[in-house]
Amino acid sequence: MFPDLTRDDVFRLETRGLWLRWARLADAQAIVRLAGEKSVAEMTARIPHPYHPDDAERFIFMSRRSNADGQGLQLAITPKGKPNSLIGMVGIGPGPDTGKPELGYWLGTPYWGKGYATEAARALIDAFFAYGEGDELTASARVINPASRRVLEKCGFAYQGAGLVELPARGGLYPADHFRLDRRAWESLKSWSHTGFVREPISVEVEVDREMSLAS
């Protein structure tokens, strides 16, 4: 799904206000604290509530393994200039039902309403189409989550209809809106703010990465 360029943990995406990087074990505490909030977890399919530190560490290792084998790309969202301060996650991986590339993201509540989710999602979408050979992305949002729907719409996703989706961490089927973005539509939206795709220097990564990491 993703090329060799993204399969090294020194890879990062840089936007106007964010750095997106591989998750690290040092992020586990922030993941538990932010993703573990009920208002965040209940909008996702796989984040449990309460969120145990062991679950966070397991997620981190799984995300790193997925990144390394190119089956997906899960990145920690951090403010530019504060690469150790995780505020959320954004990722693309095979959808559980169709196996098609699917976009997902979450942000801690202190960072809602600042445009970070849209900025992070656009950067990863750009990377997916610019570096990979995939022709489409899918995404879903719970019908009770209009903020997530707005993010997808601002990223160019087209509404495909509603239906029931399984949310394992929520214990059942729930109504959700489904969205799709294809390569042709993405190419028509290249007026998005320029997003840089750079490899983080190893020296910087070693200095910052004193511990391993992961994502959710």
Side-chain angles (χ1 to χ4, degrees), residues 23-59:
R24 309 164 180 151
L25 277 180
D27 296 321
Q29 184 175 356
I31 291 174
V32 170
R33 175 170 49 85
L34 297 174
E37 284 195 50
K38 185 178 180 181
S39 56
V40 175
E42 68 182 0
M43 295 301 170
T44 72
R46 300 179 184 86
I47 297 176
H49 176 77
Y51 201 171
H52 193 275
D54 289 346
D55 294 325
E57 292 185 6
R58 188 178 304 111
F59 162 75

Side-chain angles (χ1 to χ4, degrees), residues 1 5 17 25 43-44 49 64 67 85 87 91 93 98 105 110-111 140 147 153 177 190:
M1 186 180 296
L5 174 66
L25 277 180
M43 295 301 170
T44 72
H49 176 77
R64 292 180 66 89
N67 289 359
S85 301
I87 64 173
T98 65
Y105 46 84
Y111 310 100
S140 297
E153 291 172 341
D177 294 321
K190 284 187 175 177

Side-chain angles (χ1 to χ4, degrees), residues 3-211:
D4 291 345
L5 174 66
T6 68
R7 300 185 189 187
D8 190 317
D9 67 359
V10 298
F11 175 82
R12 77 162 185 255
L13 298 177
E14 181 178 347
T15 72
R16 178 174 298 179
L18 301 171
W19 282 351
L20 311 181
R21 56 159 175 82
W22 283 36
R24 309 164 180 151
L25 277 180
D27 296 321
Q29 184 175 356
I31 291 174
V32 170
R33 175 170 49 85
L34 297 174
E37 284 195 50
K38 185 178 180 181
S39 56
V40 175
E42 68 182 0
M43 295 301 170
T44 72
R46 300 179 184 86
I47 297 176
H49 176 77
Y51 201 171
H52 193 275
D54 289 346
D55 294 325
E57 292 185 6
R58 188 178 304 111
F59 162 75
I60 290 166
F61 284 119
M62 290 177 62
S63 75
R64 292 180 66 89
R65 183 169 58 194
S66 176
N67 289 359
D69 65 21
Q71 293 305 303
L73 187 57
Q74 301 284 337
L75 298 176
I77 303 171
T78 70
K80 182 174 282 188
K82 296 182 179 181
N84 293 329
S85 301
L86 178 146
I87 64 173
M89 291 291 307
V90 63
I92 292 174
D97 297 324
T98 65
K100 294 180 179 180
E102 184 175 76
L103 173 72
Y105 46 84
W106 62 264
L107 278 176
T109 56
Y111 310 100
W112 288 4
K114 302 179 185 296
Y116 292 148
T118 301
E119 188 173 343
R122 285 178 174 175
L124 189 55
I125 291 166
D126 281 353
F128 174 80
F129 285 117
Y131 294 155
E133 299 178 353
D135 290 324
E136 70 171 358
L137 276 174
T138 62
S140 297
R142 291 189 63 179
V143 296
I144 60 172
N145 190 1
S148 184
R149 178 180 180 131
R150 285 195 297 272
V151 169
L152 294 173
E153 291 172 341
K154 286 189 287 186
C155 288
F157 279 81
Y159 177 65
Q160 301 295 298
L164 294 177
V165 296
E166 184 175 5
L167 305 182
R170 312 279 76 80
L173 297 172
Y174 293 82
D177 294 321
H178 302 294
F179 299 83
R180 179 178 180 270
L181 174 66
D182 62 28
R183 180 176 290 275
R184 186 174 181 179
W186 170 75
E187 289 174 345
S188 73
L189 295 171
K190 284 187 175 177
S191 60
W192 287 346
S193 298
H194 176 71
T195 298
F197 305 109
V198 297
R199 290 173 62 84
E200 192 165 9
I202 294 177
S203 59
V204 174
E205 187 69 16
V206 168
E207 183 178 293
V208 172
D209 268 339
R210 301 216 171 122
E211 300 179 46

